[in-house]
Amino acid sequence: MYAIVKTGGKQYKVAVGDVLTVEKLNAEDGAEVNLPAVLVVDGSELTTDAAALAAYSITGKVVGQTKGPKIRIHKFKNKTGYHKRQGHRQKLTQVEVTGISK
């Protein structure tokens, strides 16, 4: 049994026991979170209907808060002497899927 969940504008394929890294969620370490399902596959049964998906509950536990890799941004305009250097590290949350239930 697995499900496709949506969080942070992205979709992830999850099964029980998976640890996934998603964009930052406002939750403490060890907190319980619910993830909205987009699709659920249980053996040969496929569920995509919104009313039927509302009955499913995908729960997870926050394992920790981390940061992604450093991204370096360099803007340059030719012949004007314009250089701008900037960096970014995306804040991420690790979530362990604890259950997919109906």
Side-chain angles (χ1 to χ4, degrees), residues 10 13-15 34-35 37 45 51 58-59 66 75 81 92 100:
K10 299 175 182 74
K13 178 182 174 182
V14 298
N34 290 324
L35 301 170
E45 181 183 333
I58 291 93
T59 57
T66 62
K75 294 181 181 180
L92 303 170
I100 300 173

Side-chain angles (χ1 to χ4, degrees), residues 3-77:
I4 306 293
V5 297
K6 183 176 180 179
T7 180
K10 299 175 182 74
Q11 295 181 359
Y12 302 93
K13 178 182 174 182
V14 298
V16 176
D18 288 352
V19 176
L20 63 140
T21 304
V22 299
E23 288 193 18
K24 186 174 189 305
L25 299 173
N26 292 327
E28 301 280 328
D29 289 354
E32 186 93 2
V33 293
N34 290 324
L35 301 170
V38 176
L39 174 127
V40 174
V41 177
D42 185 12
S44 62
E45 181 183 333
L46 177 71
T47 306
T48 58
D49 183 39
L53 286 172
Y56 280 94
S57 174
I58 291 93
T59 57
K61 182 178 74 168
V62 175
V63 176
Q65 306 286 343
T66 62
K67 286 186 178 180
K70 176 89 171 194
I71 298 172
R72 291 179 175 82
I73 301 147
H74 182 235
K75 294 181 181 180
F76 169 78
K77 290 192 179 175

